[in-house]
Amino acid sequence: MLKVFCNFAAMKQSAILYLLFLMLGLYPSPAQSADVEPGVSKALAEERAATIGDVRYELSFHVPASKEQPVSGSATITFMLRGSDDVQLDFQGEPQQFDGHCQVNGEEATAVFRNEHIIIGHDLLRPNEVNTISLRFTSGDKALNRSDDYLYTLFVPDHARSVFPCFDQPDLKARFSVTLELPDGWTSISNQTEQPIPTYLFSFTAGRFKVQKATRDGRELTALYRETDPAKVAQLGTVFDQVALSLRWMEQYTGIPYPFEQYGFVVLPGYQFGGMEHPGCIQFTDHEIFLPQNPTPDEELTRLNLIAHETAHMWFGDLVTMRWFDDVWTKEVFANFMADKISRQQFPDINHDLVFLRNHYPSALATDRTEGTHPIQQSLSNLNGAGLLYGNIIYHKAPIMMRKLEERMGEEALQRGLQNYLKTFSYGNATWDDLIDILQKESPEANIKAFDEVWVKQKGLPTISTTRLLDGSIYLQQNDAYGRNLVWPQRITTGVIVDDKRQEQGFRVEPVSVEMADSDHVVIRPTAEKGPLQVLANAKLVVPNLDGMGYGRFTADDNMVLYVGYTCQTEKNDVRRLSAVMTLYENYTLKNLSAATLFSTLLTYLAYEENPLVAASVCGFLGRAMTDIDPHERAMAEYSLYNSATTNALPNVRQQLMRLLSTSAISNTIVDRIYETWQSQADTLLNERDYMRMAYHLAIMRPAEWQQILNIQRERLTTDDLRREFDYIARACTPDLLEQDNLFLALLKPENRRVEPWARTLFSLLNHPTREPYSNHYIVPALDALPDIQRTSDIFFPGDWLSALLNGHRSDAARQLVSEWIELHSELSPTLMNKLKERAYWLLTR
């Protein structure tokens, strides 16, 4: 095993001597081709893609036992060079992390290290030949995710360059080998492979892990984990089964065998994503793989969807990779799209149209209705901004778009097109437009390019009004909020309620579907022919978006509240009931009804709802309404929710409402009830993490007892990992204002946010709703820190930072602070400003 050690003093001295010699002219200064700028610019990436190929990395890392000591390493990089300019390697580090010395094609050489690049002079390289560069370095901790006894690398989108010098762009795929020198007792997994992958997919995990192997369909599967609860570890059998199901389904759908040598995964505590698709060593978050006792249907589905999503990535994203990160959404949309299909096979008795509706539509609308929305396909000039492209639009609106695309083409035509795409670009790179060209040829009558222009390349969504005319006709109109006169091609189904004495409830609902493609409006007229259109003239009520599959903000009149009351008792179709609730909620966001009306309507509805998935969505909407309800009505609202949390027939409703109240109740009566539940821990629907979160909230709500509550909760925790998490987060519960300020200032330093989910929770507690107005003074400095947060964090954390900052604020003063900050910072990058406007939506529209 190669041992690599770095001596900081020697490196510093060497760097100083190099700069001195360079100034004296004793070292040649390499000629420059592309501009040397921080990050990885699109111009640099395109130049390198045209001149560099057949890349291979031989990497070695020395991992000290103490995380306070740096990880050091060496790299040998070979590549074919088709140009004669300098070559820039990407390396995001300080001067002491690379001293300039290297070997190029076997000869000692010196490279310039500046602006996050190691520049190899053209005079050292051999055009039209294979070149080799060897160098030693010290890795930064940014993407190593180091804990006391384990670490894992997470390089998406451009963090590989913070750990080792490389060509950190998705279209310079490479083959990897790695040697790890580890502390005694550590085990590891990596994806060194002969199949080419981009740098963002290379990964290794090492530490004190348990290992379990299983064989499914003749393939060995490997799991690394830290969980110690035998009941949770026993769930690995189910996990292996779901992996095998996902692999079988993907092989059958694509016609391509699993494209990599091994399938392994790591289950990580405190993981900042749901999962990451490194081929051969997928990473999963522990709380979505190891489910608590009595898991809800939501939790069961979430686990399968996560496993299926990451497995689908082995084809979409790993086998075929986007050429540039402006198409990162392409891999995500297909992973979600395939995961939804796979879940149909695993859970055939579940209404998957219902699952699709509730999994994607509310989240897509949550961003698309805000001023921070953006197209599915976004522009990107430098990879250092790629993390901001992720969010609800690519994870949730894009699957809705794909479903509508499949409707236009037909399932078989789309499948053939995707198979062609995967085979054409296997182990290579492609753009979304490459796929559109294939699909257009596969189904020219579907006019895919026109569909793509609106749904993918333009931002926003339509507001769709449904109006009854005097003659009984229905007038549907799409309105483009941005004045572009766009029409989103889609099928929209409207419900027509007519009297029918044959029905127990005295009426029936007739669906009327229409394609909206060429015009922003359509008139559905009554006819004399037998069928739905015949009854329009006698319609009692028109229900927008009956089946929920239309995408937009569907306006409704006061009768919609009445209809929701009908549906909870009479409508047997689960999708129609959820769609009615969602339309009601969207009209609340449009300010067509009050928070109190929404709350009372949904609370009544919840008592009748028998489907746990529909009920779960209703609980979520109730939580939002309770947040916005007038303060003098809040105590009664909490009491009503608590009553439902203890009496509702559905276990998941009782669980979800208790979780909601245990982290948000502010009335003395309900806080006392929550305290009694926490003391006894008798509610078997709640798990260890639920009681942890309950303790944080109670410590804030009962400041005289805060330390006692936290001490008791800590004694109850069963693992060292949970105790470490608790010790980090619980500090935010202190009533000491100076200590709260010190915690906030500490969060501004990247080294204090290493475990980002913990940092997010701590920050949200500092901005607890009961801490206004004092917490208002965090708003401006936290917003000022946004560019640095984005630069030093993983892809989801800037949004998490903003949510943790803003979700607890309700005051006019807070809204004014945010509004003024936005007005004064027009120079902020558009993608970062979009993220702020999205997360500030509820505060700015109060």
Side-chain angles (χ1 to χ4, degrees):
M1 181 180 293
L2 177 64
K3 295 186 177 181
V4 181
F5 298 93
C6 288
N7 183 304
F8 273 98
M11 290 175 66
K12 184 176 180 180
Q13 182 182 32
S14 176
I16 293 172
L17 287 173
Y18 165 69
L19 292 173
L20 178 62
F21 289 168
L22 181 62
M23 290 191 315
L24 293 175
L26 299 178
Y27 285 159
S29 178
Q32 297 172 27
S33 48
D35 291 339
V36 182
E37 60 179 282
V40 181
S41 69
K42 189 173 184 180
L44 173 62
E46 289 175 344
E47 179 183 296
R48 291 195 303 205
T51 58
I52 292 171
D54 299 326
V55 183
R56 182 181 292 271
Y57 297 95
E58 295 179 21
L59 303 172
S60 176
F61 296 95
H62 167 70
V63 181
S66 170
K67 68 179 181 181
E68 306 307 320
Q69 297 297 316
V71 172
S72 56
S74 66
T76 297
I77 307 168
T78 61
F79 56 94
M80 172 64 73
L81 180 64
R82 294 183 290 272
S84 58
D85 292 328
D86 299 346
V87 167
Q88 295 184 36
L89 289 170
D90 310 319
F91 188 53
Q92 185 184 39
E94 300 300 325
Q96 65 267 25
Q97 291 178 243
F98 174 67
D99 66 0
H101 292 296
C102 58
Q103 284 191 345
V104 180
N105 295 322
E107 300 292 331
E108 294 293 330
T110 303
V112 172
F113 179 29
R114 65 185 178 90
N115 278 349
E116 302 180 356
H117 295 283
I118 296 170
I119 306 165
I120 308 298
H122 63 283
D123 53 318
L124 302 173
L125 299 165
R126 300 170 183 165
N128 302 312
E129 293 186 29
V130 174
N131 287 259
T132 302
I133 302 171
S134 299
L135 34 70
R136 295 186 178 189
F137 52 86
T138 300
S139 301
D141 277 345
K142 177 177 180 176
L144 289 173
N145 298 284
R146 300 176 72 185
S147 294
D148 290 336
D149 56 354
Y150 69 96
L151 64 79
Y152 59 91
T153 64
L154 188 57
F155 294 153
V156 64
D158 67 329
H159 298 333
R161 62 193 179 95
S162 72
V163 173
F164 63 95
C166 58
F167 302 115
D168 205 1
Q169 61 189 75
D171 60 347
L172 282 181
K173 288 189 167 183
R175 293 167 174 82
F176 288 84
S177 64
V178 62
T179 300
L180 301 175
E181 183 182 359
L182 302 171
D184 292 342
W186 282 31
T187 190
S188 67
I189 187 172
S190 69
N191 58 358
Q192 50 187 338
T193 174
E194 281 303 304
Q195 288 89 14
I197 58 174
T199 46
Y200 83 86
L201 288 177
F202 171 68
S203 183
F204 59 87
T205 297
R208 298 190 183 279
F209 289 93
K210 299 178 178 66
V211 180
Q212 188 172 136
K213 295 180 181 291
T215 300
R216 298 290 189 275
D217 301 328
R219 179 182 289 113
E220 184 178 78
L221 308 174
T222 303
L224 272 65
Y225 60 95
R226 292 174 58 84
E227 181 60 59
T228 57
D229 182 345
K232 289 185 176 180
V233 173
Q235 297 176 34
L236 282 173
T238 299
V239 173
F240 287 133
D241 289 342
Q242 292 180 347
V243 166
L245 165 70
S246 301
L247 287 169
R248 287 195 303 271
W249 194 94
M250 286 300 302
E251 288 180 333
Q252 181 178 5
Y253 185 89
T254 65
I256 298 173
Y258 177 64
F260 297 97
E261 297 167 358
Q262 63 186 36
Y263 191 110
F265 60 88
V266 187
V267 186
L268 292 160
Y271 190 60
Q272 54 266 62
F273 302 169
M276 182 60 203
E277 66 267 20
H278 309 118
C281 56
I282 294 170
Q283 293 165 349
F284 291 123
T285 185
D286 61 344
H287 67 270
E288 291 188 9
I289 293 296
F290 294 128
L291 303 185
Q293 186 179 8
N294 304 315
T296 67
D298 266 358
E299 289 168 332
E300 297 265 16
L301 273 172
T302 295
R303 177 169 65 187
L304 173 62
N305 270 281
L306 174 60
I307 292 168
H309 177 105
E310 303 306 334
T311 302
H313 268 312
M314 300 302 108
W315 285 261
F316 294 98
D318 295 7
L319 175 63
V320 178
T321 306
M322 65 276 170
R323 187 169 300 284
W324 184 241
F325 259 87
D326 55 357
D327 274 335
V328 64
W329 68 275
T330 305
K331 71 183 182 72
E332 298 302 335
V333 67
F334 284 116
N336 265 343
F337 190 65
M338 298 301 160
D340 290 334
K341 289 178 175 292
I342 291 169
S343 67
R344 290 176 181 267
Q345 183 169 337
Q346 177 69 13
F347 295 105
D349 296 330
I350 286 179
N351 185 334
H352 289 279
D353 288 336
L354 175 68
V355 171
F356 187 89
L357 177 63
R358 68 182 302 272
N359 280 359
H360 296 303
Y361 278 72
S363 296
L365 291 167
T367 295
D368 229 4
R369 73 168 73 98
T370 76
E371 291 186 13
T373 193
H374 54 80
I376 293 175
Q377 186 180 60
Q378 303 172 74
S379 61
L380 179 68
S381 60
N382 193 304
L383 280 184
N384 59 17
L388 293 173
L389 304 184
Y390 290 80
N392 285 333
I393 296 299
I394 72 171
Y395 282 106
H396 298 292
K397 183 179 180 180
I400 294 169
M401 177 278 296
M402 279 304 307
R403 184 163 181 165
K404 293 182 180 301
L405 179 63
E406 185 179 53
E407 288 176 357
R408 294 180 73 82
M409 292 186 64
E411 291 187 30
E412 292 183 1
L414 177 62
Q415 182 178 2
R416 289 194 303 270
L418 293 178
Q419 289 176 341
N420 185 2
Y421 165 80
L422 290 172
K423 291 172 183 176
T424 300
F425 297 103
S426 284
Y427 300 109
N429 299 85
T431 67
W432 168 254
D433 290 339
D434 290 331
L435 175 58
I436 287 297
D437 288 340
I438 291 173
L439 297 183
Q440 181 70 29
K441 293 175 182 176
E442 188 67 46
S443 184
E445 71 283 356
N447 200 8
I448 300 301
K449 290 193 174 182
F451 175 91
D452 168 64
E453 178 59 35
V454 175
W455 279 96
V456 176
K457 294 181 167 55
Q458 302 294 331
K459 71 175 181 179
L461 76 171
T463 298
I464 303 174
S465 59
T466 307
T467 306
R468 288 183 63 204
L469 304 180
L470 293 176
D471 66 352
S473 301
I474 299 175
Y475 183 83
L476 288 175
Q477 180 164 14
Q478 291 192 26
N479 293 299
D480 178 6
Y482 297 97
R484 299 160 300 181
N485 297 319
L486 294 180
V487 177
W488 284 258
Q490 58 179 318
R491 178 185 299 128
I492 294 174
T493 300
T494 301
V496 179
I497 296 181
V498 295
D499 289 332
D500 189 340
K501 302 303 181 184
R502 295 169 299 177
Q503 307 297 321
E504 181 180 350
Q505 67 273 21
F507 66 89
R508 72 180 188 276
V509 182
E510 291 281 0
V512 178
S513 297
V514 62
E515 291 283 348
M516 296 191 75
D518 302 321
S519 175
D520 65 353
H521 68 277
V522 63
V523 180
I524 309 172
R525 301 187 184 280
T527 67
E529 299 176 6
K530 188 175 182 180
L533 298 183
Q534 186 182 34
V535 301
L536 283 182
N538 300 318
K540 298 297 184 183
L541 184 65
V542 174
V543 182
N545 202 21
L546 181 67
D547 62 356
M549 294 297 116
Y551 183 71
R553 306 183 79 182
F554 287 82
T555 62
D557 56 25
D558 294 340
N559 287 326
M560 195 67 203
V561 177
L562 181 63
Y563 176 67
V564 170
Y566 283 153
T567 64
C568 67
Q569 300 180 56
T570 61
E571 177 60 68
K572 304 303 181 184
N573 186 303
D574 296 336
V575 172
R576 290 183 180 182
R577 292 200 310 279
L578 179 57
S579 178
V581 169
M582 288 172 55
T583 298
L584 190 70
Y585 179 77
E586 197 59 33
N587 277 263
Y588 165 64
T589 70
L590 288 164
K591 301 189 181 302
N592 291 338
L593 71 158
S594 68
T597 300
L598 178 68
F599 184 89
S600 62
T601 303
L602 293 185
L603 190 65
T604 301
Y605 178 100
L606 189 62
Y608 292 92
E609 182 55 62
E610 297 179 353
N611 186 298
L613 296 178
V614 178
S617 293
V618 174
C619 290
F621 296 145
L622 275 168
R624 178 70 249 175
M626 187 181 72
T627 297
D628 294 339
I629 209 162
D630 289 340
H632 68 275
E633 298 176 340
R634 175 68 181 255
M636 182 57 68
E638 289 184 7
Y639 182 84
S640 300
L641 280 187
Y642 185 83
N643 184 57
S644 292
T646 54
T647 62
N648 193 280
L650 295 175
N652 73 305
V653 169
R654 299 197 302 274
Q655 180 191 63
Q656 193 167 340
L657 292 182
M658 189 60 72
R659 284 174 171 172
L660 170 65
L661 289 168
S662 68
T663 58
S664 64
I666 57 175
S667 64
N668 291 334
T669 299
I670 302 306
V671 169
D672 289 345
R673 300 278 181 90
I674 298 298
Y675 183 79
E676 292 169 3
T677 300
W678 173 78
Q679 276 190 314
S680 67
Q681 294 196 67
D683 191 334
T684 58
L685 294 176
L686 302 180
N687 58 50
E688 194 167 18
R689 286 191 176 278
D690 291 325
Y691 286 110
M692 282 173 62
R693 289 187 284 265
M694 196 181 293
Y696 301 145
H697 183 66
L698 289 170
I700 291 174
M701 296 305 300
R702 294 186 166 209
E705 305 168 64
W706 78 281
Q707 194 63 70
Q708 179 185 4
I709 290 170
L710 296 179
N711 289 341
I712 292 172
Q713 184 60 40
R714 193 182 193 281
E715 286 297 316
R716 294 170 171 174
L717 299 179
T718 57
T719 70
D720 289 339
D721 286 338
L722 280 176
R723 281 185 281 272
R724 280 194 288 265
E725 176 182 347
F726 185 83
D727 290 343
Y728 178 94
I729 294 171
R731 299 173 299 161
C733 300
T734 175
D736 187 311
L737 299 181
L738 179 60
E739 185 57 30
Q740 291 176 30
D741 289 348
N742 289 336
L743 286 171
F744 170 70
L745 293 174
L747 282 176
L748 298 179
K749 300 177 181 179
E751 61 268 24
N752 295 321
R753 306 190 304 267
R754 286 180 176 174
V755 184
E756 291 177 353
W758 300 358
R760 175 188 64 215
T761 303
L762 184 148
F763 194 32
S764 68
L765 293 175
L766 291 179
N767 290 279
H768 191 276
T770 60
R771 287 177 163 173
E772 259 195 330
Y774 185 81
S775 58
N776 285 352
H777 79 285
Y778 298 140
I779 290 176
V780 170
L783 294 178
D784 288 342
L786 260 182
D788 188 64
I789 294 290
Q790 186 269 323
R791 183 181 61 83
T792 58
S793 303
D794 276 313
I795 56 180
F796 297 114
F797 192 70
D800 290 343
W801 173 264
L802 288 167
S803 293
L805 169 68
L806 299 175
N807 285 355
H809 290 276
R810 310 279 187 267
S811 66
D812 291 339
R815 180 173 66 250
Q816 184 174 349
L817 286 170
V818 176
S819 297
E820 290 176 351
W821 195 95
I822 289 173
E823 186 175 347
L824 291 172
H825 290 80
S826 58
E827 81 288 350
L828 191 70
S829 76
T831 49
L832 201 51
M833 183 63 81
N834 281 342
K835 195 69 67 176
L836 169 56
K837 290 179 177 179
E838 173 198 348
R839 300 305 171 103
Y841 172 79
W842 288 106
L843 179 61
L844 295 176
T845 58
R846 286 184 67 83

